[in-house]
Amino acid sequence: MHIDIVTVLPELLVSPLGHSILKRAQEKGLLEVEVHDLRPYGLGRHHQVDDYAFGGGAGMVMMPEPLANCLDELKSRREYDELIFMTPDGVRLTQGLANRLSMKKNLLILAGHYKGIDERIREHYITMEISIGDYVLSGGELPAAIMVDAIGRLIPGVLGDETSALFDSFQDNMLAPPVYTRPAVFRGWEVPEILLSGNTPVIEDWRHEQALERTRQRRPDILTSDE
Ligand code: ADE
């Protein structure tokens, strides 16, 4: 999969994409992420990318021309399955949406800044608008990094143990069961006996029960969700 990210703050994306699973995915050639600085597409001597909002009001708006020029150039290089704009008024990112996006070949993610981007870019270029939750961040860079992480780890072959993503919270409309590691007794706190039994089918049943119980208690809404 290839993901292009367009931003005015490329540095914000370097570290989140350069470690752990995402780093390995890129090293294995399963995921390619390119971060594109919008600034060179800016206008005039100062490479201006934002301007005051028509009609007044606080906050700067990202201008259409630098964005359109940047997006045109990227679109001439490859065919995108989706051009995604990260915005708090988009559809909510869920595990279901991450699953669907992980099957795509080429994605472009636009991380907006300032007060937003000129609406005409949203109308004429963007095919999907995604929010990572009902709160407002100062820009779309961290949301973009979160999306790439959620999607990247679902690409087949990225996770060492092929099955491990299948047991993630939310994957079957359920939260994950509790997990334990050594020592079996820590400060007198014991690991549930069943996990030490070596009886795999019984352990699997126990995990399922625990996951179900945890979901009923904490997130009954996802049990019936069709995501
Ligand atoms: N940009 C600012 N806040 C955001 C959010 N919650 N989701 C996606 N993009 C954003």
Side-chain angles (χ1 to χ4, degrees):
M1 170 185 271
H2 183 98
I3 302 180
D4 285 309
I5 305 177
V6 174
T7 169
V8 284
L9 290 173
E11 317 82 59
L12 258 184
L13 285 149
V14 174
S15 179
L17 301 175
H19 297 279
S20 183
I21 288 165
L22 288 183
K23 181 179 179 202
R24 211 164 352 113
Q26 292 172 85
E27 284 169 353
K28 282 189 190 169
L30 298 168
L31 173 66
E32 255 174 46
V33 186
E34 263 182 78
V35 180
H36 304 272
D37 188 358
L38 184 67
R39 188 61 65 178
Y41 298 88
L43 305 184
R45 208 154 54 87
H46 299 291
H47 295 286
Q48 186 183 355
V49 292
D50 61 322
D51 207 339
Y52 296 102
F54 277 130
M60 304 292 270
V61 176
M62 289 173 74
M63 302 157 81
E65 196 172 339
L67 283 170
N69 288 341
C70 176
L71 297 178
D72 283 344
E73 186 174 324
L74 294 175
K75 280 175 72 176
S76 72
R77 291 189 207 162
R78 68 186 84 236
E79 190 107 357
Y80 291 104
D81 295 295
E82 300 286 355
L83 269 81
I84 301 167
F85 175 47
M86 302 310 299
T87 173
D89 59 8
V91 296
R92 187 80 70 84
L93 178 63
T94 59
Q95 193 65 31
L97 181 51
N99 279 334
R100 289 195 291 283
L101 290 173
S102 74
M103 292 174 223
K104 306 290 186 193
K105 196 158 167 279
N106 295 318
L107 297 176
L108 185 148
I109 304 176
L110 173 57
H113 238 258
Y114 314 112
K115 194 73 195 163
I117 67 171
D118 190 285
E119 188 68 18
R120 291 164 290 186
I121 295 295
R122 295 172 74 159
E123 283 169 7
H124 296 285
Y125 282 87
I126 298 300
T127 61
M128 198 172 210
E129 303 192 326
I130 299 179
S131 163
I132 61 158
D134 287 346
Y135 40 83
V136 179
L137 301 169
S138 28
E141 285 75 16
L142 297 177
I146 285 169
M147 266 245 307
V148 174
D149 191 307
I151 294 169
R153 60 193 294 286
L154 294 171
I155 298 170
V158 166
L159 291 183
D161 177 355
E162 267 296 83
T163 58
S164 63
L166 297 175
F167 297 110
D168 284 346
S169 279
F170 301 106
Q171 203 60 256
D172 297 314
N173 284 6
M174 259 206 263
L175 301 179
V179 291
Y180 300 85
T181 186
R182 289 187 293 182
V185 183
F186 171 67
R187 297 187 179 169
W189 305 326
E190 292 174 10
V191 167
E193 189 78 41
I194 223 165
L195 294 176
L196 310 175
S197 69
N199 188 336
T200 311
V202 171
I203 291 172
E204 286 310 309
D205 281 352
W206 180 87
R207 287 192 169 137
H208 183 78
E209 265 319 302
Q210 292 285 317
L212 197 57
E213 190 47 37
R214 183 163 277 195
T215 314
R216 280 198 195 108
Q217 278 180 8
R218 299 183 183 190
R219 293 295 304 276
D221 56 300
I222 65 171
L223 281 170
T224 50
S225 132
D226 56 9
E227 261 297 339

